[in-house]
Amino acid sequence: MVAFNFDVRRFDIYRKVPKDLTQPTLTGAVISICCIVFMLLLFTSELIHFLSGEIVSDLYVDNPGVSSERIPVYIKISLPRLKCDHIGLDIQDDLGRHEVGFVENTVKNPLGDDGCIFEANFLVNKVPGNFHVSTHSAQEQPENIDFAHVIEEVRFGSKIDNPNVPGNFNPLYGRAKIDGNSLESHDYVMKIVPTIYEDVSGKQTISYQYTYAYRSYISFSHGGRVVPAVWFRYDMTPITVKYHEKRQPFYTFITAICAIIGGTFTVAGILDSFIFTASELFKKFELGKQS
């Protein structure tokens, strides 16, 4: 009976070369160190990219939420030449809403001796309309009305916490109109784009980005009196932008790491072999010249 001896080591495609048959070189050591540093840098970059993911955008015709819902609005504006007692918020829209001197969720903080920082949180209907900061609701009108202003924030919808989300959610930030005719009214006409942000857990945040155009003019009341104000006129577009986080699959990350390691080792090995071969040929050439 013939004994059958099977050695699984025959399948080893990574045959080991005895250490005493190899030759270390200074060039090989330098290339090896550079190779390790390069792989660590690429691995770190790939890991950061895998953990952070990327934000993908979609565009479709829709309006998020129920049409009867209202849009939350936040405004913060500095008025350096009007006292807080004279400032109020008025809201109008195409559904017939007309509120003069809206006071709910409004905050007024004095700014110097004659100025005011005005803040307000309120809701608007999903129809064209406007809200404006004026003196219409003041019990006593000031003698000189000057709506010079600096806009800190005008935001529609909820605030998106991820700073990597693209878009113009507060393009009026820092907009200043200090110089000019004190009798001017300031008109900001805004086009609002509904925007949905969905994180990796599926949680959605509904916000609104917008663009704006500006004009100034002098407005008179029916009695011929100049009544300046800061107007924000808005209209919604039927297009919705959706941003959502997308993270590459784990197997893609592993494939990229293997490609980094294998590719770096291969290129470094070719480079080291080329340098070593060139060095040996140069040595033989020098020996031939001496002989």
Side-chain angles (χ1 to χ4, degrees):
M1 185 174 179
V2 180
F4 180 74
N5 294 324
F6 178 75
D7 190 355
V8 73
R9 291 179 297 178
R10 294 179 180 179
F11 292 100
D12 184 6
I13 61 176
Y14 303 103
R15 299 296 181 99
K16 309 302 182 292
V17 180
K19 192 173 182 179
D20 56 351
L21 298 180
T22 60
Q23 178 182 350
T25 62
L26 178 60
T27 304
V30 172
I31 293 176
S32 298
I33 294 173
C34 294
C35 177
I36 293 172
V37 173
F38 183 70
M39 284 191 296
L40 286 175
L41 290 175
L42 290 182
F43 174 79
T44 303
S45 175
E46 195 67 30
L47 180 63
I48 292 173
H49 177 69
F50 172 72
L51 294 177
S52 60
E54 61 178 338
I55 297 178
V56 181
S57 63
D58 298 318
L59 194 68
Y60 54 93
V61 180
D62 194 8
N63 199 341
V66 183
S67 59
S68 60
E69 291 180 351
R70 290 182 165 188
I71 302 172
V73 182
Y74 172 73
I75 178 175
K76 182 178 181 181
I77 182 171
S78 299
L79 303 160
R81 298 170 189 163
L82 275 176
K83 292 184 178 180
C84 291
D85 294 340
H86 299 143
I87 298 172
L89 179 69
D90 308 329
I91 305 173
Q92 298 173 317
D93 64 31
D94 287 359
L95 288 180
R97 182 183 183 185
H98 190 181
E99 296 186 43
V100 179
F102 183 86
V103 295
E104 186 180 354
N105 295 324
T106 59
V107 178
K108 302 177 184 179
N109 293 313
L111 178 64
D113 296 330
D114 299 314
C116 183
I117 300 176
F118 180 80
E119 294 182 67
N121 282 286
F122 54 97
L123 300 174
V124 296
N125 295 313
K126 289 185 175 180
V127 294
N130 72 78
F131 52 91
H132 51 279
V133 181
S134 69
T135 61
H136 299 163
S137 60
Q139 294 181 354
E140 182 180 349
Q141 293 293 317
E143 293 183 5
N144 299 314
I145 304 176
D146 188 345
F147 270 96
H149 60 275
V150 178
I151 299 174
E152 300 293 337
E153 187 169 2
V154 175
R155 184 182 73 244
F156 295 85
S158 301
K159 190 172 184 178
I160 297 177
D161 295 327
N162 191 337
N164 296 321
V165 175
N168 294 320
F169 296 93
N170 185 27
L172 283 173
Y173 170 74
R175 168 76 182 185
K177 193 66 178 178
I178 301 297
D179 300 326
N181 193 332
S182 61
L183 301 178
E184 285 181 327
S185 284
H186 307 276
D187 209 343
Y188 295 95
V189 181
M190 300 178 288
K191 278 289 186 180
I192 303 174
V193 181
T195 305
I196 301 174
Y197 169 65
E198 185 178 283
D199 61 18
V200 290
S201 66
K203 180 183 177 182
Q204 289 189 348
T205 302
I206 298 178
S207 186
Y208 297 81
Q209 51 184 313
Y210 62 91
T211 58
Y212 74 92
Y214 170 80
R215 71 185 181 107
S216 62
Y217 57 95
I218 298 178
S219 174
F220 296 88
S221 65
H222 294 295
R225 187 174 186 271
V226 179
V227 283
V230 181
W231 294 76
F232 300 91
R233 307 179 193 272
Y234 59 88
D235 191 7
M236 295 187 62
T237 64
I239 302 297
T240 297
V241 179
K242 182 178 182 180
Y243 298 109
H244 57 93
E245 291 187 16
K246 184 179 180 181
R247 187 167 293 174
Q248 63 178 344
F250 184 69
Y251 66 83
T252 304
F253 172 69
I254 294 298
T255 303
I257 296 304
C258 292
I260 289 172
I261 297 174
T264 305
F265 267 116
T266 301
V267 174
I270 294 173
L271 181 62
D272 179 64
S273 178
F274 174 79
I275 295 175
F276 179 76
T277 302
S279 175
E280 291 297 312
L281 290 175
F282 181 75
K283 289 179 180 179
K284 290 181 179 179
F285 177 75
E286 290 291 324
L287 291 174
K289 286 178 61 178
Q290 293 177 1
S291 61

